[in-house]
Amino acid sequence: MRKGNKLTSILGFKCPHCHEGEFFVDRNPYHLSTVGDVLDHCPVCNRRFTPEPGFYYGGMYVSYALAVALFAIVYIAMIVFFPDAPLWADAATVITALIILSPLIYAVSKTIWANLFMHYKGPHRTGEE
Ligand SMILES: [Zn+2]
């Protein structure tokens, strides 16, 4: 994906300012001890990732929206592909999908939230903003 496109930052877990530096301490959201740990500064452009204390609490709204969307997609897929499945099987499949994908949803919700408020400024290195 080209730089300047927010999807580069959101799905690649890259800095929202330069789309080059890493955003998380650990890129793999399934390393549960570090999932969602955001670096203080971008290692490439040196811009801060936390504009104010508690900034990423807002990511909960994004996380909720993603979880509801996943719920709907999995539930509709169950109804379309397995119309005779009992309700408990639909519920078990939806809950299993939510549990398995929750670390990924958590990480993506933070990059989406950051990209709502931080915009592409190019890779040149700056002092702290
Ligand atoms: Zn950067």
Side-chain angles (χ1 to χ4, degrees), residues 20-39:
E20 287 184 10
E22 294 297 330
F23 185 72
F24 291 113
V25 172
D26 187 341
R27 300 182 44 81
N28 187 341
Y30 289 92
H31 291 163
L32 299 181
S33 62
T34 56
V35 62
D37 289 351
V38 177
L39 293 168

Side-chain angles (χ1 to χ4, degrees), residues 15 17-21 42 44-47 49:
C15 166
H17 299 296
C18 70
H19 297 179
E20 287 184 10
C42 174
V44 173
C45 70
N46 201 37
R47 292 185 178 97
F49 287 152

Side-chain angles (χ1 to χ4, degrees), residues 37-122:
D37 289 351
V38 177
L39 293 168
D40 290 331
H41 292 83
C42 174
V44 173
C45 70
N46 201 37
R47 292 185 178 97
R48 284 179 39 192
F49 287 152
T50 306
E52 60 192 29
F55 175 75
Y56 290 100
Y57 283 118
M60 287 189 297
Y61 301 111
V62 178
S63 177
Y64 176 71
L66 292 176
V68 169
L70 177 66
F71 181 104
I73 290 168
V74 172
Y75 186 67
I76 290 169
M78 284 295 290
I79 288 173
V80 169
F81 294 113
F82 304 101
D84 297 329
L87 183 61
W88 68 265
D90 295 341
T93 303
V94 167
I95 290 169
T96 302
L98 283 171
I99 290 172
I100 289 172
L101 293 176
S102 61
L104 184 63
I105 288 173
Y106 182 57
V108 169
S109 69
K110 283 194 168 188
T111 58
I112 289 174
W113 188 254
N115 273 279
L116 288 175
F117 298 97
M118 301 173 201
H119 304 288
Y120 184 71
K121 295 172 183 165

